[in-house]
Structure formats: C-alpha cells, structure tokens
C-alpha cells in the first residue's frame, strides 16, 4: 500500500467509525514493506492505535519501525527447536528469528520505545514441551508471552471439511496431514461451537478487512480475494460495505456452521478438546528470588524511604 492510500483510508475511517485501531497485516509479512514506518506514522499522527504481526525472519529497518511508534508488535513462534520451527514456519530459520528478537529487544531498550512486544506461541500436538522455553525467552527479552492452540486457516478450507458443497477440492493432502498435527481438530472445534452459533460475529460487525489497494474483503479469515471481494473501501460508505457483507450467502453459511465462533476462538470447550488430544499445557514459572535476594531488596526498599 502506498502512503497516500493509507492517509485516505485513515481519514475516512475516522470520519465514519468509532475506530479502535488498525492492524497492518493479514495473509502477509508486514516487514517486507519498505515504507512500513511511514504507514505507521500516518496512523500514529492521527492518534490511531497500530498493531503489526510478524514471523521476524526478516528484520530490516527495525530502528525506523520502532521509532514510528507502533502500539503493539507481535512475533509468532512455533518452536524453540530448529526442526520443530522449520516444520510449522515453512522456509523459516529459527536462528535468524532468535537473532532478530534480540535485536528488537536491544533497540527497544536503547531507545525507550513504548511499543508493547509479545511472543505468540502456536501450540501443536508435538511441541507443548517447548512452550516453557519460549515463555522464558520472552521474559528474558522483556516481552509479553501468549500461548494459543494453532488452528487451521483459511476459513474456506475449514468449512469445506464440514460442508461438501463448499469446495472440498480446496483441501490438499498437505492440509489433511496438517490437521493430524493439530491439537485443536477443526471438525471437533466446529462441533463444539453449536451452543454459541447464535452469537453475532465480531469480524462481521466490528472489523473491516482491506487488501493493499484498499479493496474490502468479506472477512480476515478468508483468503481468496476473487471469491470474497466486497468493493473499494474508498468508493463506498461504511453502510453500503456492511450491507454487502451482511447479504453475502457465504457469510450466512459460515455462521450456520459456527465458523464465526471458530475464527474468533470463541468456545470455552476448545481448551479441553485440545488438551484431550495433546495433553496439558506446560507453564513456565519465573524462579523465585532467594532468601538473601529478598532480604537485600527489603534493605534497598527501606533505604529508599529513609
């Protein structure tokens, strides 16, 4: 996206929405954009919160990006062992990511950047033993940590598992092999959404998904722009965009199948389903300070208030 288009999108959004923030990512790697910092500045100058999400295999211009003041910077990890990471972040290099994470932490500390950084760990059936090490790494770098069950995307493939009328030919043998590695089986997860399918869809009601040209997509969880294009965001008022989304038959079928609950991670049964298949999540606890460390801390506290 060019800077002028971002400016026009931001101004239109502020004029017609109660805007909570803008995420500069969807089905892509934002750090590939040579002018990412300029796009962030356009939004921050308008006091818009900005989130970016990266796999951090590429880390060009990190100084400039942090200086532009993104609100939140997410980095996804699927393992702390090279073979695990290579399996789930295809084509990625764990050593490169770890080096870039250290650089990100160093820049943030050196510059005092206010950007909140967190590591998002994708849980599969065979990597739960690596989660504590990733959580420990996040703490050492001064980052937040979030662990989530990996789930299959895009939605058109997930729904094709349940409804033969929704293009099951989209599913490849590689997709089916991936399903076997997931702790949260998409078919089981969709079944678990049954009690919650009457809930409104946050992605439909409260989010607009745009491509790099400013064209609206039906949903952030859907991949195919030709099947799921809605129209140009800059050409149509928000009311018309929302009307087109509400009237789309695919959106209605997704809701009937519980796809909106799945995409929003919205059924409390998901954790139980995943742990039943993969086992309990292993939690890392920071080491407790020794007795002498606690005593020294008390002395310093007393001295600072004397």
């Amino acid at each position: 996206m060019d800077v002028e288009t971002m400016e026009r999108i931001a101004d239109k959004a502020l004029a017609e929405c109660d805007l909570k923030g803008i995420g500069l990512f969807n089905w892509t790697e934002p750090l590939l954009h040579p002018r990412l910092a300029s796009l962030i500045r356009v939004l921050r100058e308008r006091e818009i919160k900005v989130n970016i999400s990266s796999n951090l295999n590429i880390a060009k211009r990190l100084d400039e990006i942090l200086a532009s003041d993104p609100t939140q910077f997410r980095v996804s990890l699927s393992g702390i062992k090279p073979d695990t990471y290579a399996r789930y972040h295809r084509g990625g290099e764990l050593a490169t990511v770890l080096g870039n994470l250290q650089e990100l932490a160093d820049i943030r500390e050196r510059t005092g950047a206010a950007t909140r950084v967190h590591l998002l760990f994708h849980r599969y059936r065979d990597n739960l033993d690596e989660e504590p090490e990733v959580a420990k790494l996040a703490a050492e770098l001064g980052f937040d940590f979030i662990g989530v069950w990996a789930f299959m995307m895009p939605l058109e493939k997930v729904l094709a598992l349940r409804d033969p009328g929704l293009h099951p030919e989209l599913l490849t043998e590689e997709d089916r092999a991936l399903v076997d590695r997931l702790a949260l089986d998409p078919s089981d997860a969709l079944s678990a959404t049954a009690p919650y399918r009457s809930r409104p869809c946050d992605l439909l009601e409260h989010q607009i998904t745009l491509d790099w040209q400013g064209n609206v997509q039906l949903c952030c969880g859907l991949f195919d722009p030709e099947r799921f294009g809605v129209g140009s965001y800059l050409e149509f008022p928000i009311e018309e965009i929302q009307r087109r989304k509400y009237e789309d038959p695919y959106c209605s079928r997704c809701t009937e199948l519980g796809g909106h609950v799945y995409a929003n991670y919205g059924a409390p049964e998901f954790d139980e389903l995943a742990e039943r298949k993969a086992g309990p999540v292993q939690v890392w606890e920071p080491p407790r300070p020794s007795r002498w460390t606690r005593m020294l801390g008390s002395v310093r506290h007393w001295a600072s208030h004397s």
Side-chain angles (χ1 to χ4, degrees):
M1 182 175 289
D2 61 67
V3 174
E4 181 184 359
T5 300
M6 179 60 72
E7 290 174 337
R8 295 174 64 200
I9 288 171
D11 290 339
K12 181 174 184 285
L14 287 169
E16 65 184 6
C17 300
D18 178 14
L19 187 60
K20 302 299 183 185
I22 291 180
L24 297 181
F25 61 95
N26 198 50
W27 300 115
T28 188
E29 169 53 60
L31 269 64
L32 289 170
H33 198 308
R35 294 177 301 282
L36 177 61
S38 298
L39 299 182
I40 296 170
R41 280 194 294 272
V42 163
L43 303 179
R44 296 302 286 145
E45 288 168 357
R46 291 161 172 79
E47 299 183 351
I48 299 171
K49 293 181 179 180
V50 182
N51 297 335
I52 55 177
S53 180
S54 171
N55 60 48
L56 216 61
N57 275 275
I58 294 173
K60 297 178 181 178
R61 298 172 290 273
L62 277 180
D63 286 273
E64 184 183 359
I65 290 169
L66 283 187
S68 67
D69 192 31
T71 311
Q72 180 174 279
F73 193 132
R74 167 182 291 178
V75 180
S76 60
L77 276 176
S78 53
I80 200 67
K81 299 175 183 176
D83 57 339
T84 307
Y85 184 83
R87 182 159 57 248
Y88 295 120
H89 273 82
R90 187 74 59 82
E93 290 285 344
L94 179 62
T96 298
V97 175
L98 295 179
N100 290 338
L101 281 170
Q102 185 63 60
E103 182 183 358
L104 182 64
D106 292 344
I107 293 171
R108 196 173 69 141
E109 182 177 5
R110 183 178 72 249
T111 64
T115 301
R116 188 166 187 172
V117 181
H118 70 256
L119 296 188
L120 185 77
F121 182 75
H122 299 185
R123 298 171 180 149
Y124 291 85
R125 293 179 66 178
D126 58 356
N127 72 346
L128 292 189
D129 61 321
E130 300 177 45
E131 180 166 338
E133 283 299 310
V134 177
K136 179 182 178 183
L137 172 65
E140 291 172 348
L141 294 173
F143 299 160
D144 297 332
F145 174 81
I146 303 172
V148 296
W149 298 107
F151 60 105
M152 188 174 179
M153 281 287 177
L155 269 178
E156 57 258 44
K157 291 193 175 188
V158 175
L159 300 180
L161 289 168
R162 299 286 289 185
D163 186 344
L166 294 177
H167 300 280
E169 70 276 5
L170 292 172
L171 292 160
T172 67
E173 290 303 314
E174 195 172 27
D175 293 330
R176 298 184 189 279
L178 173 63
V179 170
D180 291 337
R181 292 196 180 109
L182 293 172
L184 184 61
D185 183 280
S187 293
D188 294 342
L190 284 177
S191 296
T193 66
Y196 314 103
R197 291 176 187 172
S198 61
R199 290 178 178 175
C201 177
D202 283 344
L203 303 182
L204 171 64
E205 297 193 357
H206 303 302
Q207 186 181 97
I208 300 291
T209 301
L210 308 178
D211 69 8
W212 66 278
Q213 295 174 304
N215 297 314
V216 179
Q217 307 299 305
L218 184 59
C219 170
C220 67
L222 297 168
F223 180 77
D224 189 345
E226 293 185 7
R227 288 181 63 198
F228 303 115
V230 175
S232 170
Y233 179 72
L234 293 173
E235 290 181 14
F236 298 101
I238 188 69
E239 294 81 8
E240 174 63 16
I241 291 170
Q242 289 299 91
R243 184 190 67 78
R244 293 185 181 193
K245 289 167 62 180
Y246 273 101
E247 293 180 357
D248 191 286
Y250 196 93
C251 194
S252 300
R253 185 59 181 144
C254 176
T255 302
E256 291 169 3
L257 293 171
H260 65 306
V261 182
Y262 177 86
N264 283 287
Y265 215 77
E269 291 84 356
F270 286 175
D271 285 338
E272 181 183 350
L273 285 171
E275 291 194 9
R276 193 183 303 163
K277 181 173 288 190
V281 174
Q282 301 183 39
V283 179
W284 176 76
E285 296 288 349
R288 296 183 62 188
S290 69
R291 174 172 172 263
W292 295 108
T293 302
R294 292 197 301 272
M295 289 179 62
L296 179 59
S298 298
V299 169
R300 287 174 175 165
H301 177 78
W302 175 81
S304 67
H305 288 80
S306 297

